[in-house]
Amino acid sequence: MEYVILAVVIAVVAVGAIAGLVVSGRRRQQLPPKSQAPVITAPPTPREPAVGEEAAPPTEEPRRTVEEVQLPEAEAEARAEVEAAPEAAEEAPAIEVPEPTAGRLVRLRSRLSRSQNSLGKGLLSLLSREHLDEDTWEEIEETLLTADVGVAPTQELVERLRTRVKVLGTRTPEDLRGLLREELVELIGKDADRTVRSTKHDEGPAVVLVVGVNGVGKTTTTGKLARVLVADGRTVVLGAADTFRAAAADQLQTWGERVGARTVRGPEGGDPASVAFDAVKEGIAEGADTVLVDTAGRLHTKTGLMDELGKVKRVVEKHGPVDEVLLVLDATTGQNGLIQARVFAEVVDITGIVLTKLDGTAKGGIVVAVQRELGVPVKLIGLGEGADDLAPFEPGAFVDALIGD
């Protein structure tokens, strides 16, 4: 019995202990946690707004003015150069001093080497043969014809050479060279007036029209002729009347700027006669010595264009007479150049010839042929692509270059 009572007491005590533990655990869970010190964090770093987000309002930041910023020396110098660049760009290009024209052909005689080998030296070699039979004279004729001297001038020269060789008798190299030189100078014409009329007169400046077909170097020749005249002390105004070829006016203006000559130009595709008229008008106003008018390159097969060239000449003559009409011919074209010369001579009165590209051809005899065809002298020849490679034509110096020393 005592054991039963003891067991009941132990059980009651155990139940009470367990109940107390349960209640104590529930109270612990309901109590708030102990307070901790607050953690202070930095504000979030600004970032670029993502897609769909609105950008944050801009914040004002202190700014420095240009005066407050100290530039390094290199940057300051660079900035000064940039600021000065527009002024430098507006400065006129340096004006060149053209090479003197006196004796220019003598200085350029080496450019005639190809013509010298075929014509001058070829004739000397044939004339130096011990026996000048008919076959030799035929070879002499063939040499002259190949060099584009022309049929009539060739026959005339051969007959005179035959006569003088018979009279001469003995033929030393010096005698033959002197004989050939005399006859060639006579054939070319030593008494012709080859001066380009470029001095102003009572009516105003001398007016020079430069004509020719496309591709002969007409605009370039006009620019080089301006250098020739400036070198001889003339003041020049250029008229860019070739309004149909792209960049022709720009090309001529560049030539003019190099020697200080003003260029009068019109709109691309405009009336060439109007540009030529304005150029002469400007030349009168400036008191220039010479007005050079570069006309459009005319195809000699186009009748309408040739008529327009006649119109240019008539319009210019409203200011005063046209002093020179220079026909530019490509020496390499041979007989085709003579055909061009005939057609141009029918439209305007050609007063002189400019032969270009004479340094690149073996046909130096074209000088004789074209003069005989038109009855006007060769006044200038082009012997290269350099700015001062246009030379006044001198028959004696030309023949000396052909036959050598």
Side-chain angles (χ1 to χ4, degrees), residues 154-312:
T154 293
Q155 293 175 346
E156 178 183 329
L157 179 59
V158 169
E159 287 302 318
R160 291 192 347 215
L161 286 174
R162 275 177 177 260
T163 302
R164 294 198 61 180
V165 166
K166 289 180 180 179
V167 173
L168 186 62
T170 58
R171 304 187 305 277
T172 64
E174 292 76 14
D175 292 338
L176 286 175
R177 186 186 180 282
L179 170 63
L180 186 58
R181 184 186 188 280
E182 289 178 13
E183 293 299 332
L184 286 175
V185 169
E186 185 68 26
L187 189 66
I188 292 173
K190 59 183 178 180
D191 298 326
D193 181 11
R194 302 181 188 277
T195 304
V196 177
R197 295 190 287 273
S198 57
T199 305
K200 65 179 178 181
H201 35 69
D202 295 338
E203 293 83 357
V207 179
V208 179
L209 296 184
V210 182
V211 302
V213 300
N214 288 326
V216 297
K218 183 169 46 57
T219 300
T220 300
T221 298
T222 305
K224 290 182 179 181
L225 179 55
R227 294 180 66 88
V228 169
L229 297 179
V230 169
D232 289 340
R234 307 282 192 270
T235 55
V236 178
V237 171
L238 297 172
D242 187 354
T243 59
F244 301 117
R245 185 170 67 86
D250 293 335
Q251 181 184 356
L252 189 62
Q253 184 171 346
T254 300
W255 278 102
E257 289 174 348
R258 292 168 67 177
V259 292
R262 181 173 177 184
T263 301
V264 177
R265 54 189 297 176
E268 186 173 344
D271 183 15
S274 175
V275 176
F277 182 87
D278 291 342
V280 177
K281 181 179 179 181
E282 186 66 27
I284 295 174
E286 292 187 6
D289 293 312
T290 314
V291 177
L292 292 178
V293 180
D294 176 30
T295 62
R298 315 290 167 172
L299 293 175
H300 62 276
T301 56
K302 304 288 186 177
T303 305
L305 293 178
M306 296 301 294
D307 291 342
E308 188 178 338
L309 179 58
K311 174 188 172 184
V312 171

Side-chain angles (χ1 to χ4, degrees), residues 99-114 116 224 228 358-359 381-394 397-398 400-402:
E99 181 181 331
T101 59
R104 184 180 288 187
L105 183 56
V106 175
R107 295 192 296 273
L108 297 173
R109 61 183 300 173
S110 62
R111 307 289 177 84
L112 291 170
S113 57
R114 292 185 60 184
Q116 177 184 18
K224 290 182 179 181
V228 169
L358 198 57
D359 59 316
I381 57 175
L383 293 170
E385 298 180 358
D388 293 320
D389 288 346
L390 186 70
F393 183 72
E394 305 168 24
F398 179 73
D400 286 338
L402 287 182

Side-chain angles (χ1 to χ4, degrees), residues 78-110:
R79 182 181 174 191
E81 291 178 1
V82 171
E83 292 176 352
E87 299 178 1
E90 295 176 359
E91 293 180 1
I95 296 177
E96 301 176 7
V97 179
E99 181 181 331
T101 59
R104 184 180 288 187
L105 183 56
V106 175
R107 295 192 296 273
L108 297 173
R109 61 183 300 173
S110 62

Side-chain angles (χ1 to χ4, degrees), residues 49-127:
V51 178
E53 296 179 349
E54 295 184 358
T59 58
E60 294 185 1
E61 297 180 357
R63 297 175 179 270
R64 292 183 296 173
T65 63
V66 174
E67 289 76 8
E68 295 173 339
V69 178
Q70 298 297 324
L71 294 177
E73 293 185 3
E75 293 183 4
E77 292 178 1
R79 182 181 174 191
E81 291 178 1
V82 171
E83 292 176 352
E87 299 178 1
E90 295 176 359
E91 293 180 1
I95 296 177
E96 301 176 7
V97 179
E99 181 181 331
T101 59
R104 184 180 288 187
L105 183 56
V106 175
R107 295 192 296 273
L108 297 173
R109 61 183 300 173
S110 62
R111 307 289 177 84
L112 291 170
S113 57
R114 292 185 60 184
S115 294
Q116 177 184 18
N117 291 334
S118 65
L119 180 57
K121 289 189 174 180
L123 290 177
L124 281 176
S125 176
L126 292 171
L127 290 172

